[in-house]
Amino acid sequence: MLERSRYASDNCPAARTLAVVGERWTLLILREAFYGQRRFEDIQRTLGVARNLLATRLATLVEHGLLERHPYREAGSRERFEYRLTERGIDLFPILLALMEWGDRHLGDDDGPPVIVEHRDCGAQIQLDITCEAGHTGLTARDTVPHPGPGARLADPA
């Protein structure tokens, strides 16, 4: 068992991730990016988020390498940018999917989920599954135990 008080928490990967994506609007912006929304105006219209807040959140996602800005110009308009997911951003898909699954299970409407995510190739609904390196599937928190990893640091005893 991991004795949390013995180890520093300043390099916690969950805390580091939340520092970048832990704000509500940020996750909703990422959701829209996964749904294929790329343009500022489309994201703003869909979410109803204040323009200045959206601009700030998009800048943060670009700064941290989750989105990339790509220029485009419509006829008669000035150059604008669309925001495309990077590999780093795409790697957050399981987190968003986990939030959606949890929300459907514990906060969902009786009518069922508002969005169903399907495998593009076969059309089957996808679901998250936690597995271990030995191939055991369907694991939950009750099936796991944390241990210090190679990056764990002992806490300052002061």
Side-chain angles (χ1 to χ4, degrees):
M1 175 71 78
L2 182 63
E3 294 180 46
R4 291 292 303 142
S5 62
R6 291 192 57 220
Y7 293 92
S9 61
D10 63 338
N11 68 337
C12 171
R16 287 178 177 172
T17 303
L18 287 171
V20 176
V21 300
E23 194 276 331
R24 173 184 185 252
W25 289 113
T26 302
L27 287 171
L28 294 176
I29 292 165
L30 287 170
R31 178 196 67 192
E32 293 308 308
F34 283 116
Y35 288 172
Q37 297 281 3
R38 292 182 171 177
R39 297 185 174 178
F40 184 99
E41 298 297 329
D42 295 333
I43 297 168
Q44 196 277 327
R45 188 178 326 103
T46 300
L47 295 178
V49 60
R51 296 177 67 79
N52 64 327
L53 187 57
L54 177 57
T56 300
R57 297 297 180 258
L58 286 169
T60 298
L61 291 168
V62 169
E63 175 187 340
H64 289 280
L66 282 76
L67 295 175
E68 289 179 338
R69 286 172 30 126
H70 291 266
Y72 73 94
R73 182 187 309 263
E74 293 180 354
S77 297
R78 65 179 172 84
E79 180 179 80
R80 296 178 185 253
F81 294 92
E82 63 180 23
Y83 298 86
R84 297 181 189 169
L85 287 161
T86 63
E87 285 302 314
R88 190 178 220 178
I90 290 169
D91 282 348
L92 285 170
F93 182 65
I95 293 171
L96 190 60
L97 190 61
L99 289 171
M100 291 169 60
E101 284 186 11
W102 187 91
D104 287 342
R105 187 176 307 119
H106 298 288
L107 305 172
D109 297 331
D110 293 338
D111 297 338
V115 174
I116 295 172
V117 182
E118 296 178 344
H119 181 207
R120 185 183 311 270
D121 289 348
C122 74
Q125 188 171 337
I126 65 166
Q127 58 189 16
L128 289 177
D129 186 26
I130 300 173
T131 63
C132 72
E133 291 176 347
H136 300 105
T137 63
L139 304 177
T140 70
R142 290 186 173 105
D143 301 311
T144 68
V145 59
H147 296 282
R153 301 180 197 143
L154 290 176
D156 186 4

